[in-house]
Amino acid sequence: MNRKRSVWFLTLFSLVAVVTVFYVSDRPSPFDGIQLFSDDTLDEVGLVETSSTNEESFVSKSNAFEEMRMEVTEKRSQLRDQLTTKVGSNEFTAEQKDEAYNQIEELVKIDSTEAMLELIIKSLGYDDALVRIEESDVFIDVVSNEQSTKKASEIIYQVKREWPEAYNVEVSFDGQ
């Protein structure tokens, strides 16, 4: 028992020592929020003009993607409601209720996987992405000016790595 205590003591002591050394050696400078709004800082900041056509097309693509997401969400929500009603009903057998429950779980899994894949694709540097999973098919729309097989292959690789059940992955690029 004493041996366990001494091991715990040494472990905690070494942890405290490492944290102390870290904080002593790497002292961050204090943040001065007021300095951000000084006249000197405002003079250093330059404004860059952007092209409004790119912004408008990106917004329109994002709005279209959002509308498509809402349609898919609405359809799945209606199906989920029907399945939930089926699970709670006394008119169906235990096997039918179990099948409905499994379908609900599958819908939740697909929803979360689509959201995760969209985040992964956006992390690759794309402005927006829309992922739709239908059985073993994955349909991906990406907002990007560059369209190359290398970029599509990179997206397909990431999708298949995260969703091994994807046998057919289609990537389409929508230019801004």
Side-chain angles (χ1 to χ4, degrees):
M1 189 68 167
N2 273 342
R3 184 166 172 81
K4 285 184 178 181
R5 282 187 183 166
S6 63
V7 169
W8 273 104
F9 175 74
L10 287 175
T11 304
L12 290 175
F13 182 73
S14 62
L15 180 65
V16 168
V18 168
V19 169
T20 303
V21 167
F22 174 75
Y23 278 113
V24 168
S25 65
D26 188 28
R27 255 341 220 185
S29 61
F31 175 70
D32 186 12
I34 301 297
Q35 186 177 3
L36 287 175
F37 300 105
S38 69
D39 289 335
D40 297 333
T41 309
L42 291 176
D43 293 337
E44 293 173 10
V45 175
L47 297 177
V48 178
E49 189 169 325
T50 61
S51 171
S52 62
T53 57
N54 281 347
E55 290 176 9
E56 289 171 2
S57 63
F58 171 72
V59 169
S60 66
K61 294 288 183 189
S62 291
N63 286 341
F65 283 1
E66 198 60 39
E67 287 176 15
M68 292 169 77
R69 278 188 197 103
M70 294 298 288
E71 289 174 14
V72 170
T73 302
E74 182 65 31
K75 288 178 185 176
R76 287 187 183 154
S77 177
Q78 290 174 353
L79 180 59
R80 191 175 296 118
D81 289 343
Q82 291 172 355
L83 293 171
T84 304
T85 303
K86 189 174 187 178
V87 168
S89 175
N90 292 330
E91 299 173 8
F92 298 97
T93 65
E95 292 83 20
Q96 290 172 327
K97 288 181 180 183
D98 189 44
E99 182 181 329
Y101 183 75
N102 290 339
Q103 288 176 345
I104 291 172
E105 286 182 340
E106 186 67 24
L107 285 174
V108 170
K109 182 179 175 184
I110 288 173
D111 282 342
S112 62
T113 303
E114 285 177 348
M116 178 187 59
L117 290 174
E118 286 178 4
L119 287 175
I120 289 171
I121 293 168
K122 287 178 186 178
S123 74
L124 294 174
Y126 298 102
D127 293 326
D128 199 6
L130 175 66
V131 177
R132 294 173 319 279
I133 297 175
E134 296 173 6
E135 297 177 15
S136 63
D137 297 333
V138 180
F139 303 100
I140 303 168
D141 293 311
V142 180
V143 174
S144 175
N145 285 334
E146 299 178 35
Q147 300 179 10
S148 69
T149 56
K150 182 180 177 184
K151 290 188 177 281
S153 296
E154 183 181 16
I155 292 172
I156 291 170
Y157 171 75
Q158 292 292 335
V159 168
K160 288 194 175 201
R161 196 177 91 198
E162 294 296 325
W163 183 256
E165 300 163 15
Y167 293 109
N168 181 28
V169 180
E170 292 183 21
V171 178
S172 65
F173 292 97
D174 293 329
Q176 295 180 359

